[in-house]
Amino acid sequence: MVVILSPDDESVNDFRFLFPAFGGLLYGYDIGATSSATINIKSPTSSGISWYDLSSVQVGLITSGSLYGALIGSILAFNVADFLGRRRELMVSAASYIIGAVITTLAPGFAIMVIGRFIYGIGIGLAMHAAPMYIAETAASQIRGRLISLKEFFIVLGMVLGYVVGSIFVDINSGWRYMYATAIPFTVVMGIGMWWLPASPRWILLRAIQGKGDMQELREYAIYCLRRLRGETIDNNSATQEVEDILAELSYISEEGEATLGEMFQGKCLKALTIGAGLVLFQQITGQPSVLYYAASIFQTAGFSAASDATKASILLGLLKLIMTGVAVLVVDKLGRRPLLLGGVSGIVVALFLMGSFYTYLSNVPAVAVVALLVYVGCYQISFGPIGWLMISEIFPLRLRGRGLSIAVLVNFGANALVAFAFSPLEALVGAGALFFIFGGIAVVSLVFIFFIVPETKGLTLEEIEAKLL
């Protein structure tokens, strides 16, 4: 968890949030490192293996193996999240990361490597599900947005780290093994950190009111966990009062059992699912993977020879993403979620139409594409990037949060896979210019969706969000 600040103190005084956020860092690192690992592993001179002559399908399986695992991890989370709890789910995620990274690093052949990538991906799916929930349920409402957005910051930080490590090892013999081995220490730190941290007090209270244990014992345990998480910023009386307030607001579900699949599409949860799944769907289908795919060629066309190498261009864009995500982290609890979404997505619309214009009418003005690329990346990182994950962690009612969030994460990874796999055929069918205009049209639709559907959650407790906005 989490840095918890007192209401009068907005400085970060604790680094406990780093451990769940490492789940995001390891996801980002995998994206960055794999981009160089696939170059190294195909090299007859530096791969260090006899099976380097991989087909495009095999390279695709290495690249997307973790994505398939993440999809399975999201499905698993639907069934085990509320049973395991947020903390133990993150511990299982760390174990999957460790096992997957070790198998990938030591893989003697292609099939074993893909298995390792798949297991690592299961860790991604579980971490992307549990980390925002754990942080949301343990952070004070006035800084909840900042702390959950920091998870996105750590995803981008992991990407930059992966690009840098990849650039170091890309020409070294068996460099791909070193790239994947570099993740192992981070996975161990994440696992030990989550073992040390206490459980989410809200999850404990959910178990109590659903009759999954002795009410008094679980109530006292929730107080203990809350005090451990908040440290010196909360005394026993304040912790007891907060636990009682949460219990009072959740008393309506005391007679209800665990959520069923059918309930996910009814009432409050349907509204929450529409908001959360809608945001993460638009996050992907407004073309983010496709825009980044063109990054290196855009820089090359613009004459930036030093950045024409894909790895160097990726590092440059990664640093921009890191800076803009940092901006979002600093202002999200001051400005709110809606202003960042509306402003950022408006910029995305402009950038996508500029990109479409470059590939259709303005190919002799490469500066247009460079500006469009930078605007897109910057605007994405202050809007869809952090706010999408933030909203899905806040918007679901507690009783349905575990399963609701698993559906939203599944939509995210599913849409990511769809865009990644459909991009090349669509580009061949309609051309790059038309494709970016299509993405621009989808971004306009997402802007309308945000304006009319997405509520403002700034400063509200999770219980107030459920009571007032759903």
Side-chain angles (χ1 to χ4, degrees), residues 285-301:
I285 64 174
T286 46
Q288 192 239 163
S290 306
V291 172
L292 296 181
Y293 174 83
Y294 272 91
S297 64
I298 287 172
F299 279 115
Q300 192 171 21
T301 302

Side-chain angles (χ1 to χ4, degrees), residues 139-369:
S141 59
Q142 64 268 26
I143 58 158
R144 184 180 61 241
R146 182 187 306 176
L147 293 179
I148 298 173
S149 298
L150 273 167
K151 183 188 70 67
E152 173 68 18
F153 182 86
F154 268 69
I155 293 175
V156 178
L157 180 63
M159 289 175 62
V160 174
L161 179 62
Y163 292 140
V164 171
V165 171
S167 68
I168 293 171
F169 292 122
V170 70
D171 294 320
I172 291 178
N173 189 47
S174 297
W176 61 274
R177 296 189 189 273
Y178 297 112
M179 294 177 206
Y180 288 119
T182 302
I184 295 174
F186 296 103
T187 67
V188 173
V189 170
M190 177 187 171
I192 294 173
M194 291 313 306
W195 172 80
W196 173 69
L197 285 176
S200 160
R202 281 183 169 87
W203 176 75
I204 294 167
L205 296 175
L206 175 64
R207 304 292 285 178
I209 60 181
Q210 289 182 332
K212 301 294 176 64
D214 180 78
M215 170 64 79
Q216 185 59 30
E217 288 183 3
L218 290 174
R219 177 181 166 277
E220 291 176 359
Y221 184 44
I223 294 171
Y224 163 77
C225 291
L226 187 60
R227 292 201 65 190
R228 275 197 62 194
L229 290 163
R230 302 288 175 89
E232 296 179 358
T233 65
I234 191 168
D235 58 27
N236 190 64
N237 290 335
S238 299
T240 301
Q241 185 59 52
E242 184 166 339
V243 166
E244 293 300 331
D245 290 345
I246 294 171
L247 279 172
E249 295 200 41
L250 298 177
S251 59
Y252 72 95
I253 63 173
S254 59
E255 300 302 323
E256 300 176 4
E258 294 184 0
T260 63
L261 180 61
E263 287 180 87
M264 303 305 303
F265 302 96
Q266 299 174 12
K268 288 183 176 182
C269 196
L270 177 59
K271 185 174 180 180
L273 199 59
T274 301
I275 296 167
L279 275 177
V280 294
L281 177 65
F282 282 121
Q283 183 189 68
Q284 297 299 325
I285 64 174
T286 46
Q288 192 239 163
S290 306
V291 172
L292 296 181
Y293 174 83
Y294 272 91
S297 64
I298 287 172
F299 279 115
Q300 192 171 21
T301 302
F304 295 101
S305 57
S308 61
D309 176 77
T311 302
K312 293 176 182 176
S314 297
I315 293 173
L316 177 64
L317 282 180
L319 290 173
L320 175 62
K321 286 163 72 74
L322 198 62
I323 292 168
M324 296 308 294
T325 306
V327 171
V329 167
L330 292 175
V331 303
V332 64
D333 285 316
K334 296 177 181 177
L335 294 181
R337 287 60 163 154
R338 278 175 58 85
L340 288 177
L341 280 171
L342 291 169
V345 177
S346 296
I348 287 173
V349 170
V350 172
L352 287 169
F353 280 108
L354 280 175
M355 199 81 74
S357 299
F358 169 74
Y359 282 102
T360 307
Y361 315 112
L362 304 172
S363 57
N364 59 337
V365 191
V368 171

Side-chain angles (χ1 to χ4, degrees), residues 24 27 70 74 124-133 136 144-145 148-153 155 276 279-280 283-284 288 337 341 380-381 383-396 405-406 408-413 416:
Y27 172 35
S74 304
I124 293 174
L126 293 174
M128 292 300 97
H129 174 262
M133 269 201 302
R144 184 180 61 241
I148 298 173
S149 298
L150 273 167
K151 183 188 70 67
E152 173 68 18
F153 182 86
I155 293 175
L279 275 177
V280 294
Q283 183 189 68
Q284 297 299 325
Q288 192 239 163
R337 287 60 163 154
L341 280 171
Y380 180 89
Q381 291 307 137
S383 58
F384 277 142
I387 308 301
W389 290 105
L390 169 57
M391 290 295 294
I392 64 173
S393 67
E394 294 180 319
I395 203 67
F396 289 100
L405 200 63
S406 70
V409 172
L410 183 63
V411 168
N412 178 275
F413 285 120
N416 184 309

Side-chain angles (χ1 to χ4, degrees), residues 36-120:
S36 294
T38 52
I39 296 172
N40 178 267
I41 203 170
K42 291 188 297 180
S43 170
T45 57
S46 59
S47 64
I49 54 176
S50 59
W51 40 279
Y52 62 84
D53 189 20
L54 299 172
S55 69
S56 58
V57 173
Q58 288 174 314
V59 173
L61 284 172
I62 292 173
T63 304
S64 59
S66 61
L67 178 59
Y68 294 135
L71 287 167
I72 298 301
S74 304
I75 295 170
L76 290 174
F78 183 88
N79 293 308
V80 304
D82 288 330
F83 168 72
L84 287 177
R86 295 44 166 146
R87 170 178 166 267
R88 284 186 292 184
E89 186 180 348
L90 282 165
M91 291 171 66
V92 173
S93 168
S96 296
Y97 274 141
I98 293 170
I99 295 169
V102 169
I103 291 175
T104 303
T105 299
L106 301 177
F110 169 75
I112 300 299
M113 184 181 185
V114 172
I115 291 172
R117 302 282 297 133
F118 183 83
I119 294 172
Y120 190 97

